[in-house]
């Protein structure tokens, strides 16, 4: 079945540091790929998405590129802020119209001033 | 729009008690789902529904029941609570018919079973 693997955490960075969070997936067909973010005490919200190979999703300075050849969707940000401290989830949705979301385990990012 | 709302925010139960977690959305979304979030496990799908009157099991359905009598509401029932059901529960909804559609999540219910 479908699966998503995220790098182990937690991750602690200083403000303005470069961020990379790795995500790889296993799926049949042509899944859509997502990054969701969960701020402390809140539900998840969509950060960005990509629906086909070589698409780049971007939002709030974060970017991720759908790489079919390496089955990856790594999240990057050039300069993190304290307000980016949150839990980040990589997810995929299968090819069917009512396909379910499959999540990775999530990774906690802490950014210190 | 209120989006996806969940009640209660917090709940403590004793083993064997039953309760219903409420979920409602006002976006006319056909697809609704329930997840549980546990440390180191990510989010796991419990049950989902593609429309009123239609429900199906997800990855971890045991111990939970759902029904979908209206488009707006999707309650989750714990029939006999167990300590293993201590978790944070999230309800989510999205438009049906398109796998690219964004899922909207509620704020969660933190459940403790003693």
């Amino acid at each position: 079945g479908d699966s998503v693997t995220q790098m182990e955490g937690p991750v602690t960075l200083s403000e303005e540091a470069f961020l990379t969070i790795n995500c790889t997936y296993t799926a049949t067909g042509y899944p859509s790929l997502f990054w969701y973010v969960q701020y402390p005490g809140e539900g998840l919200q969509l950060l960005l998405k990509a629906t086909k190979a070589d698409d780049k999703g971007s939002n709030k300075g974060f970017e991720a590129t759908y790489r079919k050849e390496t089955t990856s969707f790594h999240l990057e940000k050039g300069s993190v802020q304290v307000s980016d401290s949150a839990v980040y989830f990589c997810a995929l949705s299968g090819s069917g119209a009512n396909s379910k979301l499959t999540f990775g385990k999530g990774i906690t990012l802490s950014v210190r001033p | 729009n209120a989006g996806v709302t969940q009640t209660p925010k917090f709940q403590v139960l004793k083993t064997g008690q039953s309760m219903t977690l409420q979920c409602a959305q006002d976006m006319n979304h056909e697809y609704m789902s329930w997840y549980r979030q546990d440390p180191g496990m990510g989010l796991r799908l419990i049950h989902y529904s593609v429309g009123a009157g239609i429900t199906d099991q997800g990855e971890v359905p045991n111990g939970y029941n759902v029904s979908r009598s209206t488009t707006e509401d999707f309650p989750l029932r714990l029939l006999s609570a167990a300590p293993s059901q201590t978790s944070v529960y999230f309800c989510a909804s999205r438009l049906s018919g398109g796998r690219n559609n964004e899922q909207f999540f509620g704020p969660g219910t933190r459940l403790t079973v003693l």
Side-chain angles (χ1 to χ4, degrees):
Chain A
D2 296 346
S3 67
V4 176
T5 302
Q6 291 184 234
M7 59 184 278
E8 295 285 326
V11 173
T12 301
L13 295 174
S14 297
E15 203 165 27
E16 298 184 2
F18 183 84
L19 169 71
T20 299
I21 301 177
N22 289 343
C23 172
T24 58
Y25 68 90
T26 301
T28 54
Y30 302 93
S32 293
L33 301 174
F34 305 83
W35 277 100
Y36 279 82
V37 59
Q38 182 182 30
Y39 298 105
E42 298 183 9
L44 280 72
Q45 54 186 274
L46 180 66
L47 180 60
L48 53 84
K49 70 179 183 182
T51 59
K52 61 182 187 295
D54 300 323
D55 264 3
K56 178 186 285 189
S58 61
N59 186 24
K60 299 181 181 179
F62 291 90
E63 292 183 340
T65 300
Y66 189 143
R67 300 287 188 200
K68 192 163 178 64
E69 64 275 14
T70 54
T71 62
S72 64
F73 193 54
H74 304 322
L75 182 68
E76 296 183 337
K77 187 174 186 182
S79 176
V80 294
Q81 306 300 312
V82 172
S83 57
D84 293 327
S85 298
V87 182
Y88 291 82
F89 293 92
C90 186
L92 71 81
S93 181
S95 303
N98 287 316
S99 293
K100 303 177 280 290
L101 265 185
T102 298
F103 286 89
K105 293 185 177 181
I107 186 169
T108 300
L109 170 65
S110 298
V111 181
R112 49 175 189 249
Chain B
N1 284 354
V4 180
T5 58
Q6 292 183 238
T7 56
K9 278 188 170 303
F10 302 94
Q11 183 70 49
V12 179
L13 293 178
K14 294 181 180 177
T15 297
Q17 287 185 315
S18 63
M19 80 159 295
T20 299
L21 279 62
Q22 302 292 343
C23 174
Q25 52 88 14
D26 61 359
M27 297 174 282
N28 205 31
H29 287 170
E30 300 95 340
Y31 190 105
M32 296 186 73
S33 49
W34 276 101
Y35 296 87
R36 58 177 290 172
Q37 182 181 23
D38 302 293
M41 303 290 288
L43 273 78
R44 293 181 291 172
L45 183 65
I46 304 171
H47 285 285
Y48 67 99
S49 168
V50 298
I54 306 170
T55 63
D56 206 346
Q57 296 182 349
E59 183 184 354
V60 288
N62 292 343
Y64 308 95
N65 276 1
V66 292
S67 60
R68 184 97 180 268
S69 56
T70 67
T71 299
E72 294 79 17
D73 300 298
F74 191 44
L76 178 72
R77 296 185 191 84
L78 283 70
L79 302 177
S80 178
S84 60
Q85 294 178 303
T86 294
S87 187
V88 181
Y89 292 85
F90 289 101
C91 179
S93 74
R94 65 168 170 83
L95 290 170
S96 189
R99 64 190 178 95
N100 305 324
N101 289 327
E102 176 183 353
Q103 282 217 46
F104 293 83
F105 284 81
T109 294
R110 185 174 294 273
L111 175 67
T112 301
V113 183
L114 303 176

